Amino acid sequence: MLRLIRYLLIPFSIIYSIITWSRNKLYDLNLLKSKSFDLPIVVIGNLALGGTGKSPMVEHILHIVNPLIKVTVLSRGYGRKTKGFRYVHETDEAINVGDEPLQIKRKFKENTVVVCENRVHAIEKIKNKTDAVLLDDAYQHRKLKPTFSILLFDYYSLNKPIITLPTGNFRDTLLESKRADIIVVTKSPSEINEVTKKNIVNRLKKHSDAPIFFSEITYQTLLTSSKQETDIRFFLEYHAILLTGIANPAPLYEYLVEKVKSITTIKFPDHHVFSEKDLLKIEHLFDNLPSKKIIITTEKDIQRLPQDFVLKLPTYYIPIQQNILFNQSEEFNSLIKKAFLDQ
């Protein structure tokens, strides 16, 4: 029924596509102006709604360039209840700065992280205090002219029709791939049929000359909120609650399902703010599990869970890491370094 309703909205998707195409064309023709800056401005983004792995890519890039240059991370701070420009501190709460910027600040303490919905205004404020700016989720922010753009696609989305909102999940059509300097197909299987890989590359090459990379997500060691490591194999006989507020928790479930005795899933929307009622529901489910039980969540979600909750119940989070596939990591790293250093 829901699928039928979405396809009934196809005329609205056509109208939406015409509007977004017209807006982009006005920027392409310089009839609408983009602001540029005299320092490297590197943008990470996607054409679809969330779930392509932008935050793991931000972290991957910081690992590459942090030894070389002073980089400030700029995000809109999606999900925060505040407005305007703010510096992110390790002691902040996600509700004030957003879960992903807080996660990045806590992992990369040496980097300045700021949030602001007006990216141009934010860069004006920080441009004399940094060597470069890395923007999370700003590919559609045409008021800003980046020096380098990294476009992400979820692997599985490229095996389906690309349909814009409200029928599909895409904010722009594949035509806008032409603005990318690098394209990364994220969340790819480590082994891809050559025919499938070639079909994806050919589909993207119709719209862009950018080099195309494939990356996979790898799950790291389980951590407590105090960052104490625990091997997942220790929990083979445990019953687990998988608690998520992310766009697509299915891959994490598939990773964990054979590593614990049973999994009870509790799914909330992406960037969900956990209410007292939510926490009581989770605690009730936990209490009704058999003995030997834990809660597993994501690194993004642990930023939003209250500290007293994660201390009260045995709660672990599982970091993820982005890996470039098919022996292309050196080429990818080289292009990223040039993006930040050769401006």
Side-chain angles (χ1 to χ4, degrees), residues 144-163:
L144 172 69
K145 187 173 183 179
T147 56
F148 197 87
S149 294
I150 302 166
L151 180 59
L152 310 184
F153 287 94
D154 179 285
Y155 171 84
Y156 295 97
S157 73
L158 291 173
N159 293 309
K160 301 175 183 177
I162 303 297
I163 304 174

Side-chain angles (χ1 to χ4, degrees), residues 40 59 89 93 110 144 178 185 203 206 208 215 224 240 332:
E59 295 179 7
H89 304 282
E93 294 183 358
E110 70 276 20
L144 172 69
K178 67 180 183 292
V185 182
R203 187 178 192 185
K206 290 178 183 178
S208 175
S215 72
T224 64
F332 180 84

Side-chain angles (χ1 to χ4, degrees), residues 38-55:
D38 292 328
L39 74 165
I41 305 291
V42 178
V43 163
I44 297 173
N46 53 3
L47 299 184
L49 296 176
T52 55
K54 292 184 295 295
S55 291

Side-chain angles (χ1 to χ4, degrees), residues 36-82:
S36 58
F37 292 90
D38 292 328
L39 74 165
I41 305 291
V42 178
V43 163
I44 297 173
N46 53 3
L47 299 184
L49 296 176
T52 55
K54 292 184 295 295
S55 291
M57 183 58 72
V58 169
E59 295 179 7
H60 187 69
I61 289 172
L62 289 177
H63 282 301
I64 295 170
V65 300
N66 265 351
L68 308 172
I69 191 171
K70 181 180 179 181
V71 178
T72 295
V73 178
L74 170 57
S75 171
R76 176 186 172 189
Y78 191 83
R80 66 186 175 121
K81 300 301 181 183
T82 58

Side-chain angles (χ1 to χ4, degrees), residues 222 230-236 255-256 259-260 294 296:
L222 280 179
T230 305
D231 194 317
I232 185 65
R233 290 174 292 185
F234 179 80
F235 298 113
L236 187 61
Y255 171 76
L256 292 172
K259 293 178 172 58
V260 292
I294 58 170
I296 301 176

Side-chain angles (χ1 to χ4, degrees), residues 102-338:
L102 184 58
Q103 173 182 320
I104 291 167
K105 181 60 184 177
R106 288 174 172 173
K107 293 182 77 170
F108 297 88
K109 297 176 176 60
E110 70 276 20
N111 289 90
T112 299
V113 180
V114 298
V115 292
C116 189
E117 56 273 24
N118 186 330
R119 296 0 183 259
V120 171
H121 170 69
I123 296 174
E124 290 283 5
K125 289 180 71 72
I126 63 176
K127 64 182 181 181
N128 296 322
K129 303 174 184 178
T130 189
D131 298 326
V133 181
L134 176 60
L135 288 95
D136 178 18
D137 197 15
Y139 194 80
Q140 279 84 19
H141 199 76
R142 299 297 303 271
K143 290 181 180 179
L144 172 69
K145 187 173 183 179
T147 56
F148 197 87
S149 294
I150 302 166
L151 180 59
L152 310 184
F153 287 94
D154 179 285
Y155 171 84
Y156 295 97
S157 73
L158 291 173
N159 293 309
K160 301 175 183 177
I162 303 297
I163 304 174
T164 57
L165 298 165
T167 301
N169 295 321
F170 277 74
R171 297 179 284 188
D172 266 321
T173 66
L174 278 180
L175 289 171
E176 293 310 310
S177 302
K178 67 180 183 292
R179 293 188 282 113
D181 295 289
I182 282 180
I183 293 175
V184 184
V185 182
T186 63
K187 301 184 179 180
S188 304
S190 55
E191 294 183 6
I192 302 175
N193 179 288
E194 276 301 318
V195 174
T196 302
K197 182 183 175 185
K198 184 177 180 181
N199 288 341
I200 289 174
V201 169
N202 289 342
R203 187 178 192 185
L204 294 172
K205 284 294 186 183
K206 290 178 183 178
H207 306 285
S208 175
D209 294 325
I212 298 169
F213 298 87
F214 289 76
S215 72
E216 65 174 349
I217 291 293
T218 59
Y219 294 101
Q220 307 300 294
T221 303
L222 280 179
L223 298 173
T224 64
S225 61
S226 59
K227 295 184 170 55
Q228 179 181 348
E229 294 187 356
T230 305
D231 194 317
I232 185 65
R233 290 174 292 185
F234 179 80
F235 298 113
L236 187 61
E237 297 301 317
Y238 277 64
H239 301 274
I241 287 178
L242 176 57
L243 169 60
T244 59
I246 59 175
N248 180 18
L252 178 55
Y253 174 86
E254 291 168 5
Y255 171 76
L256 292 172
V257 69
E258 294 182 353
K259 293 178 172 58
V260 292
K261 191 168 187 177
S262 71
I263 295 183
T264 301
T265 59
I266 306 178
K267 296 184 287 186
F268 293 95
D270 199 10
H271 303 284
H272 180 75
V273 178
F274 297 105
S275 66
E276 190 64 32
K277 184 179 178 181
D278 295 331
L279 299 174
L280 288 172
K281 176 185 175 183
I282 297 163
E283 188 172 346
H284 176 73
L285 285 171
F286 182 82
D287 289 341
N288 283 283
L289 286 178
S291 60
K292 298 183 75 172
K293 51 195 174 182
I294 58 170
I295 295 174
I296 301 176
T297 191
T298 70
E299 189 170 16
K300 188 166 83 169
D301 289 310
I302 201 75
Q303 316 301 325
R304 285 179 274 111
L305 286 167
Q307 186 69 6
D308 57 352
F309 175 86
V310 300
L311 292 176
K312 180 180 181 181
L313 302 178
T315 305
Y316 296 80
Y317 70 92
I318 185 161
I320 58 177
Q321 181 176 299
Q322 193 96 236
N323 290 325
I324 303 298
L325 296 171
F326 311 127
N327 298 314
Q328 289 185 295
S329 59
E330 285 190 18
E331 180 187 355
F332 180 84
N333 291 0
S334 176
L335 290 172
I336 295 300
K337 289 174 184 177
K338 288 180 181 179

